[in-house]
Amino acid sequence: EDQVTQSPEALRLQEGESSSLNCSYTVSGLRGLFWYRQDPGKGPEFLFTLYSAGEEKEKERLKATLTKKESFLHITAPKPEDSATYLCAVRAAYSGAGSYQLTFGKGTKLSVIP
Amino acid sequence: KAGVTQTPRYLIKTRGQQVTLSCSPISGHRSVSWYQQTPGQGLQFLFEYFSETQRNKGNFPGRFSGRQFSNSRSEMNVSTLELGDSALYLCASSLTSGNDDTQYFGPGTRLTVL
């Protein structure tokens, strides 16, 4: 069974204080690891897709990295508008031919204090 | 391009009733997936449709069903509602073409069962 564990559950940072969020996964054949951002009362917003160990992607103050067992979302010099819940999800190779089912972690709630 | 739309945004029902939720995917997207989000369980996969066929189903009781129309729009139905069905129901669409397998989420339908 696919498993995704995110840590910490909640994180409070001062504005400008860089940190990392962790996503550990267990899956039989990874076909993609996805990061989403979710604001209260809204649907998840896509951030990154990573496919293979060693891959890195960046967007503004965010950088996602991937190893064979975990992914990190690094936040550099965060601003209050970065406050949100960050979700990690995996797509497994055995999901079925063409299936796009994602297994999600429970998220990390990030609060950036001015 | 318009994003994924879901209707209604909010719904209040009583136990034993049934409910139908609607999802319109991004234009050109042929795959639609449904997820249930609760504070305790996070996002859990319900089912996935592609070209009017259910391609995958999560571990939910038969009270949860869905369908997809020829224009890729999708509906999900929950019969005999229980208090535990109160959740945010999210729809996501995918292009399913080439290497782009990103799922884009709608704003969700907040269902409250009294």
Side-chain angles (χ1 to χ4, degrees), chain A residues 1-102:
Chain A
E1 182 181 329
D2 303 336
Q3 284 195 328
V4 179
T5 303
Q6 292 188 245
S7 62
E9 290 186 14
L11 181 63
R12 285 172 60 95
L13 298 174
Q14 290 293 128
E15 184 173 0
E17 179 187 2
S18 301
S19 188
S20 296
L21 312 182
N22 177 264
C23 170
S24 298
Y25 63 91
T26 303
V27 63
S28 297
L30 182 70
R31 288 184 65 186
L33 184 140
F34 302 80
W35 282 99
Y36 289 86
R37 167 196 170 124
Q38 186 174 26
D39 293 298
K42 296 187 177 181
E45 174 190 347
F46 171 72
L47 294 173
F48 304 108
T49 308
L50 302 168
Y51 291 103
S52 55
E55 190 173 359
E56 298 182 351
K57 288 192 176 174
E58 287 188 67
K59 178 181 180 181
E60 296 180 354
R61 296 177 292 282
L62 300 177
K63 178 180 177 181
T65 62
L66 181 66
T67 72
K68 289 187 177 179
K69 294 183 178 180
E70 56 191 350
S71 177
F72 292 93
L73 184 65
H74 307 279
I75 303 177
T76 302
K79 298 181 178 181
E81 53 262 42
D82 294 323
S83 297
T85 295
Y86 290 84
L87 298 165
C88 170
V90 297
R91 181 184 171 201
Y94 67 83
S95 295
S99 174
Y100 286 79
Q101 173 185 347
L102 296 179

